[in-house]
């Protein structure tokens, strides 16, 4: 049984201070300025071209947040900051935080959006800043490498399989599926600019002979095939309901008899009040896309049923839906 929030917890929910402090530090590249070295505020300010006195307030807050350490007047990175927030570190995730910072102004328009029902953006930041989009996909690829193989195994594919990874980004899932299933070949379909990154990741994985790249707009251009499995992973929340329904129907026509469509996304429960993170993500999509939304698994099942799939089921609650073509 859930308990009531305390007053202190309500205040905590309303504080965005630490969030903006961290995002500003990443944008200034504070942590890279301290890479492997401990420095005074004056030395850091000179490196960043910042005002020394005001920078010291930011640095002290980062110490309190346990991202920096301080001994006397000397600052240094914490272990976590050195691992994840120094720009050239192998596990750098700063690009994802820079994306959040780029969306900051959009969040400031939330009240207006709620009052009017009119969205304040006409394009996602990936379209306005392709370089940032590519860097974010590279971070997500690195993170997804850990979960991709387990997801592939849960689908229990057998025999030679022709797979379509629709909007496959860096090819993270295609690579994972190829490694789990030796007889599987994959096609990654995405925009030409995105596939430049995909080409690099596929080559690094040594899978050029099993993963092909198909550039285009998946709502308009031919998809190839026929395929035994089509995967839509985290792409439908950028589109409206009708566009998704049409895309599911298009994919149906490119599947072989008995083929599967697997949709992996951040689905809401039937009440729309959970999972908690997804309810916040739905608001994020509202203020940062022109027409996207978070949908329910029932919506995905409806798209599949209308498209002609013989069966449509929820494989993982609020996460994965599968349709099988008769």
């Amino acid at each position: 049984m859930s308990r009531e929030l305390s007053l202190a917890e309500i205040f905590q929910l309303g504080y965005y201070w630490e969030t903006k402090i961290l995002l500003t530090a990443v944008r200034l590249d504070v942590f890279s300025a301290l890479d492997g070295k401990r420095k005074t505020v004056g030395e850091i300010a000179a490196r960043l071209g910042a005002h020394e006195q005001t920078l010291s307030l930011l640095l002290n807050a980062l110490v309190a947040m346990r991202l920096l350490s301080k001994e006397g007047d000397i600052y240094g990175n914490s272990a976590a900051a050195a691992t994840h927030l120094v720009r050239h570190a192998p596990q750098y995730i700063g690009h994802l935080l820079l994306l959040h910072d780029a969306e900051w102004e959009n969040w400031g328009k939330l009240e207006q959006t709620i009052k009017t029902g009119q969205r304040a953006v006409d394009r996602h930041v990936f379209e306005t800043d392709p370089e940032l989009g590519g860097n974010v996909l590279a971070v997500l690829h690195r993170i997804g490498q850990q979960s991709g193989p387990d997801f592939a195994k849960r689908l229990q594919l057998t025999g030679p399989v022709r797979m379509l990874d629709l909007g496959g980004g860096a090819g993270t899932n295609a690579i994972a599926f190829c490694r789990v299933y030796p007889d599987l070949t994959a096609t990654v379909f995405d925009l030409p600019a995105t596939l430049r990154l995909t080409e690099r990741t596929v080559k690094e994985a040594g899978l050029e002979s099993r993963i092909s790249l198909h550039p285009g707009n998946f709502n308009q251009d031919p998809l190839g095939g026929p395929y035994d499995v089509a995967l839509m992973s985290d792409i439908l929340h950028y589109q409206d309901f009708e566009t998704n329904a049409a895309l599911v129907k298009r994919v149906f026509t490119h599947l072989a008899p008995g083929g599967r469509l697997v949709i992996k996304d951040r689905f809401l429960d039937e009440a729309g009040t959970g999972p908690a993170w997804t309810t916040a993500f739905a608001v994020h999509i509202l203020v940062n896309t022109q027409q996207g939304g978070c949908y329910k698994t029932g919506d995905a099942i409806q798209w599949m049923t209308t498209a002609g799939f013989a069966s449509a089921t929820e494989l993982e609650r609020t996460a994965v839906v599968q349709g099988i073509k008769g």
Side-chain angles (χ1 to χ4, degrees):
M1 189 174 180
S2 61
R3 63 176 179 80
E4 289 294 325
L5 290 172
S6 69
L7 181 58
E9 287 171 324
I10 292 173
F11 278 127
Q12 188 62 37
L13 288 172
Y15 288 148
Y16 54 82
W17 304 345
E18 289 185 342
T19 300
K20 190 58 176 175
I21 288 167
L22 171 58
L23 297 182
T24 300
V26 172
R27 183 168 289 282
L28 290 171
D29 216 9
V30 167
F31 306 101
S32 297
L34 287 165
D35 181 27
K37 298 179 181 178
R38 302 177 63 79
K39 298 179 179 178
T40 65
V41 63
E43 292 171 322
I44 302 168
R47 169 75 180 271
L48 301 180
H51 184 267
E52 183 174 333
Q53 185 176 358
T54 51
L55 177 63
S56 69
L57 298 176
L58 186 79
L59 297 180
N60 287 338
L62 292 168
V63 173
M65 293 162 61
R66 296 183 294 173
L67 291 168
L68 296 182
S69 63
K70 184 180 183 182
E71 295 180 9
D73 294 328
I74 306 297
Y75 295 90
N77 281 329
S78 68
T83 300
H84 299 296
L85 298 174
V86 172
R87 187 173 289 270
H88 65 77
Q91 300 300 315
Y92 180 69
I93 53 89
H95 294 304
L96 194 54
L97 297 176
L98 289 173
L99 171 63
H100 296 328
D101 197 55
E103 295 166 338
W104 186 265
E105 296 299 326
N106 296 340
W107 276 99
K109 300 169 184 175
L110 176 59
E111 180 184 0
Q112 173 189 345
T113 300
I114 297 299
K115 282 185 173 181
T116 66
Q118 302 298 312
R119 305 202 186 197
V121 301
D122 57 5
R123 289 186 296 169
H124 188 266
V125 69
F126 280 6
E127 298 176 82
T128 58
D129 191 344
E131 182 180 358
L132 176 59
N135 287 334
V136 170
L137 284 176
V139 173
L140 295 176
H141 171 66
R142 193 174 65 244
I143 295 171
Q145 286 177 306
Q146 301 173 26
S147 58
D150 287 338
F151 172 55
K153 291 173 185 175
R154 291 197 296 275
L155 294 185
Q156 299 180 341
L157 305 179
T158 57
V161 174
R162 298 158 296 177
M163 173 183 171
L164 171 64
D165 188 1
L166 199 66
T172 312
N173 285 309
I175 292 169
F177 275 70
C178 282
R179 286 177 170 163
V180 171
Y181 300 108
D183 295 327
L184 182 144
T185 56
T187 298
V188 178
F189 191 109
D190 216 315
L191 298 171
T194 301
L195 291 182
R196 288 196 287 269
L197 169 63
T198 318
E199 184 176 17
R200 293 201 303 271
T201 59
V202 169
K203 284 183 178 180
E204 288 170 2
L207 290 168
E208 304 99 308
S209 64
R210 294 174 58 198
I211 299 177
S212 60
L213 309 183
H214 194 322
N217 180 327
F218 53 57
N219 288 315
Q220 300 174 1
D221 299 325
L223 303 180
Y227 301 100
D228 302 301
V229 176
L231 173 65
M232 298 180 183
S233 180
D234 291 320
I235 62 172
L236 298 187
H237 53 251
Y238 291 109
Q239 305 192 138
D240 64 30
F241 189 98
E242 291 74 19
T243 303
N244 287 338
L247 180 58
V248 168
K249 190 171 184 178
R250 292 192 78 228
V251 170
F252 177 85
T253 65
H254 290 78
L255 286 173
R260 305 194 215 179
L261 169 59
V262 178
I263 300 178
K264 181 178 180 291
D265 217 300
R266 298 167 174 87
F267 292 111
L268 293 162
D269 61 22
E270 288 308 305
T273 57
W277 189 89
T278 308
T279 64
F281 183 72
V283 181
H284 158 79
I285 290 296
L286 172 68
V287 295
N288 287 295
T289 71
Q290 183 182 21
Q291 57 185 8
C294 278
Y295 303 98
K296 301 172 182 178
T297 52
D299 295 327
I301 290 172
Q302 178 183 335
W303 298 331
M304 291 177 175
T305 302
T306 302
F309 284 89
S311 68
T313 54
E314 184 179 38
L315 294 186
E316 296 180 24
R317 188 172 183 275
T318 66
V320 182
V321 178
Q322 175 180 268
I324 299 179
K325 184 174 182 178

